[in-house]
Amino acid sequence: MGNRVAVIGAGITKFVRRAQETPPELAWAAASQALDNAGMTLDDIDCVIHGTAPDAFDGVHMKAEYLSAGSGGWGKPYTRTYVGGGTGVFAPIHSWMHLASGKFKTALVVCEEKMSSCQPHPQGAFITIFDHTTERALGPNLLWIFALEQHRYMSVHGIKNEQIALASVKNKHNARGHPSAQIGGELTVEEVLDSEILAYPVHRLMVSPTSDGAAAVVMAVEDVAKAQTGQPVWLEGVGWALDTAYWTNRDLYYPRYVEKAAWMAYEMAGIKKPTEEIDFAEPYDPFAYKELHHLEGLQLAPKGGAPKLLADGYFNRDGKLPSCPSGGLLGVGNPIAAAGMMKICELFWQLRGEAGERQIQKPLRRGVAQAWGDLMQVGTVVVMGT
Amino acid sequence: MKEPKLGTGLSSRDFFESGRFFTVSYEVRAEYAWDTGPAIGRYLEELKAGRIMGRRCTKCNRVFVPPRAFCELCFRPADDWVPLEDTGTINTFSRCYITWDMQKLTSPEIPAVIEIDGATPGHGIMHMIGGVDPDEIKVGMKVKAVWKPESEREGAITDIKYWKPVS
Amino acid sequence: MSNHVAIIGCGYTPIRVATPEASYRELTFEAAQRAYADAGISHEEVQSAVCCEEDFIEGISITDEYTPDQLGVVLRSVETVGGDGLHGLGIAAMQIQTGALDIVVVEAHSKASNVLTFDHITEFALDPIWNRPLGFHPEFIAGMEMNRFLHEAKLSVEDCDRIAAKNRTNALSNPIAAYPARMTSEDIAHSPHTCAPLREAHEARRADGAVVLVLASEERAKGAERPVWIRGTGWANDSPTLESRPWGKDGATEAAARIAYEEAGIRDPSREIDLFEVDDLYAHREAMALAALGVKNGAAGVNPSGGSLGMGHTLDAIGLYRAAMCVDAIRSGRSKVALAQSWRGVPTTSVAMSILSVNHG
Amino acid sequence: MRVASNRNYTAWEGKIPVGWRYTAGLAGQEFLQALKDRGEILGSRCERCEKVYVPASIFCERCFAELNKHEPVKSEGEVVTFAICHRDLEGNPLDPPRVAAAVRLDGATSVLVHNGLGDPAKWKIGARAKVKLAANRTGSILDIEGFELV
């Protein structure tokens, strides 16, 4: 199916609450590091892909046009793609189209988000994700939909909040080994549950922070990839799906859009039994329950079964199927699109054995990254392997 | 992986108070008048009259709310208007202690997805629960709309003040 | 594996100054219904969709949320591009060329009439530190560009007047155009200055509309009645900053054309392409685009549809309207090889194009 | 579904109610500091591309090299282009009109965009112009009042 496509370099900034850098400066930092890592210069790049979520964060209309200078877009084919929070994992899929189609041989893929510019608080931007005519008048915030979804997930399966809190504990622990991390640390389930309730059942320590940051990869078709590095990491399968915008007409207990996207990617990768054929996962974890919800959508846990596996240590870095070995959004931080791209970077580093103290000790052949977004409706999935 | 490149953290003081870092503050005038179209236009008009209206697709036999001009699954114009009840069931809810701009609330707002009676099961809208001790609310509770007085309604989703549990 | 991609379905709404009877949902639904009927497919056969839109135009953050329903693609592969419809067309074609997908649609719409503070939003696209504090009407960028371009190209304002008059007049024979008028260059020259040398009548006025095109692999296009083949696509950006862009030429179109021409095997565009539907958001942009495309004076039809000056500026849908005009011309035998090209407007240097043909070359 | 008359057309009004506070960035901070303290215009040279970016930049957008040498360019240069703006942002007529000018300062390869001061009729492409600093400088691009024709 199309040309084989690999990731051959990765770069990342620190994730911080407020960056001094402008958005183009952040984009350049990650992109130039990815190029260096791939042993390439901008002249070697055929096309540039930018992934970034709402314009309301960075505070520039058509913000990817503004970001193109820092992303390497000068004089090159340049497009910006977005699928809300799913963007960071979608950007390499968008890049895959450029390369697998045979149209281009190399691509620089940059994701950036600077949320701190948005005042009085980046959360304010989220009121405008709701339907302007039938929902916004209620004064909704982003926490509502997460809380509504988490509560539905818990009530359908009879899941307890302490089971969910454990995802925060695990990811903040994992993030301690990540040099970009904003809020890694050692926590207990009790501390998570003792943190302030923002929107029942969501506690403060179950929520990823707002962040500024950027992450980037260089991708190439097979002949270039092999010429450039002895360790290309291949995109074996990609999948993406978008559910209806009428989110109050869906049952939120299960992310069927993630399942759809996952099977699209698995079929492309020739995966029939995901739990046996995938060594580790980077599911999207902006909120603690989302990691569990998404592991189920990814077919890596039975419906409603992820909390028990988590409690059993199955998803720990030394478990059967490590999940969020990076530390995830809960630990490393959540500059929306850049956070998804951070997961792609983590697959790249883990599969090359370059993850340092985060390195999973068992042999790794294949990992999956996933992101999610919009009104709980986007699934984006990338399977990468050595 | 190498050490991350840049990402220079500023403290809140650096950013807001010190005056050491130059910043530009800006507000955009981003104002809109979104055409409602026939489906949402009538939905709002009927809310003003104290009624919730759904639409039916006779092909898949769904009755959906919010109403739409077309069935997004069968991809054909929807067929007729269906008056729905102003009662329903709580599908899921939250107790939220902060506002949309992150101001703290002492008494929580209770957003919920409410499945509307008369619509196809599972088809609901987002709205608020009220008139009840927040700790008493349960998934599956029956609720009824509490409308604003007719004179205060303006053809908006907020013409319903909130939904109150009924025993 | 064949890498040829065809447009097998073309659907659009007439362009109107305003469309108060329909929300963006119904407007797009109409274009999709027309496109699927034209392609002879059901909505269930569409595997993937590429939508082109921007948050602050729709008035929605993460506006990609609201894309799938009116295209009938719920729970299928949908992506949104912050680009012109012709960027979307290029992406959709690549999706098919991966071999993973056979039928992909591209969609763009404009509800410009719903945006009450358009100029403020355009200003919001400028650099917040260096440019916005100056407080100019953002069209100053078009005025500065026109001034420098005319200077370098040794053209006059009257040349721009003629382009504007031609396109407004051409629109008289286009039933979907929103701003047709019998106008002479003298009429244009009498309109007031906005950012001199730019005059009001040099500027395309905004309008509403929606376009959906259905793309198919060669295999799937075999059964189609009137396929139009995508011979080449290209897109590029120049520097986004006002400080380091070339003010006197359209570097983005030059870069995009290199890619599209190579793919389509075009060596002499003036001879090999018989229809150009190109950017004319400001009258001088048409001359600028033709220069960058390497088209000699007196080449065949340029914006016979009326362009955006005559049809109306449907924002990121304008490129797909141009492509749709090319599709109609090819199907009716008025063109054999046509080029559609778009620029995303002030303050961008973002350009995309497609070369369409009766055959796949 | 029928809409019987245009009296049934309705629109729902709203806005995007957020604001922003932007940092000047690493290079922008240095640029504004030099402008505020010394009235200098800092540019950044890329040796490889033979470009000098104004305002200063930490990277070359052409080759992506890191630029860490920020040095003042001259305060005088050539008018690359300009426009005479007859309307303000609200669309109201401006009388007298304002000139927007792009001037390539000597030593720079990029232009600086700012107000063109003086009689609009005197502005010409290719003319010489120089930076006029504002009386009070706070660390903003408005520390420059505009360009004066020489």
Side-chain angles (χ1 to χ4, degrees), chain A residues 19-23 25-26 28-29 114, chain B residues 5-10 21-22, chain C residues 130, chain D residues 23-33 42 56-59 66-67 70:
Chain A
Q20 187 190 342
E21 289 86 354
T22 61
E25 287 177 338
L26 288 171
W28 168 78
K114 187 172 182 189
Chain B
K5 184 163 171 179
L6 299 184
T8 309
L10 296 181
F21 293 92
F22 303 122
Chain C
W130 310 124
Chain D
T23 59
L26 300 180
Q29 177 74 23
E30 283 194 48
F31 178 90
L32 292 175
Q33 195 78 57
L42 281 194
S57 172
I58 60 167
F59 62 90
E66 181 165 358
L67 307 183
H70 311 307

Side-chain angles (χ1 to χ4, degrees), chain A residues 288-308:
Chain A
Y289 81 97
K290 290 266 45 167
E291 178 176 13
L292 305 167
H293 208 228
H294 292 149
L295 285 164
E296 294 173 16
L298 285 168
Q299 317 298 299
L300 299 176
K303 284 185 185 176
K308 180 174 183 313

Side-chain angles (χ1 to χ4, degrees), chain A residues 191-278:
Chain A
E191 284 171 309
V192 175
L193 295 177
D194 284 347
S195 68
E196 172 192 3
I197 297 182
L198 298 177
Y200 170 83
V202 175
H203 291 249
R204 182 172 292 283
L205 290 174
M206 294 175 174
V207 186
S208 59
T210 53
S211 316
D212 296 348
V217 292
V218 176
M219 292 170 61
V221 295
E222 185 162 11
D223 55 334
V224 178
K226 284 182 168 165
Q228 209 64 32
T229 171
Q231 284 186 291
V233 176
W234 303 101
L235 265 74
E236 297 186 344
V238 299
W240 68 104
L242 182 64
D243 212 332
T244 172
Y246 296 105
W247 64 278
T248 56
N249 293 177
R250 287 190 257 125
D251 197 328
L252 303 175
Y253 89 105
Y254 181 70
R256 60 181 185 175
Y257 41 87
V258 173
E259 176 176 347
K260 186 87 194 292
W263 279 120
M264 180 176 174
Y266 294 164
E267 276 167 29
M268 207 180 283
I271 295 172
K272 296 198 171 57
K273 294 183 176 166
T275 50
E276 292 171 22
E277 298 174 69
I278 290 169

Side-chain angles (χ1 to χ4, degrees), chain A residues 55-84:
Chain A
D55 286 0
F57 287 150
D58 295 73
V60 182
H61 169 46
M62 302 196 279
K63 72 169 164 172
E65 303 294 347
Y66 161 73
L67 279 157
S68 68
S71 306
W74 177 76
K76 292 194 195 295
Y78 173 83
T79 50
R80 174 244 185 140
T81 186
Y82 62 110
V83 282

Side-chain angles (χ1 to χ4, degrees), chain D residues 46-122:
Chain D
C46 175
E47 299 291 349
R48 184 163 167 246
C49 300
E50 296 181 342
K51 296 260 174 209
V52 177
Y53 292 92
V54 172
S57 172
I58 60 167
F59 62 90
C60 172
E61 65 172 329
R62 304 294 203 257
C63 76
F64 254 28
E66 181 165 358
L67 307 183
N68 37 32
K69 238 174 56 186
H70 311 307
E71 288 178 350
V73 296
K74 294 280 187 294
S75 291
E76 189 182 313
E78 180 188 321
V79 177
V80 171
T81 188
F82 66 95
I84 303 169
C85 302
H86 292 266
R87 290 179 188 175
D88 69 11
L89 190 53
E90 309 299 330
N92 300 317
L94 274 175
D95 192 18
R98 286 177 69 192
V99 175
V103 174
R104 184 182 297 113
L105 297 171
D106 295 344
T109 45
S110 63
V111 299
L112 194 62
V113 175
H114 220 296
N115 295 305
L117 305 174
D119 180 0
K122 297 220 163 94

Side-chain angles (χ1 to χ4, degrees), chain B residues 36-54:
Chain B
T36 58
I40 295 300
R42 178 151 175 205
Y43 180 54
L44 298 178
E45 187 187 308
E46 296 276 358
L47 285 170
K48 191 170 182 178
R51 283 188 297 268
I52 301 171
M53 296 293 280

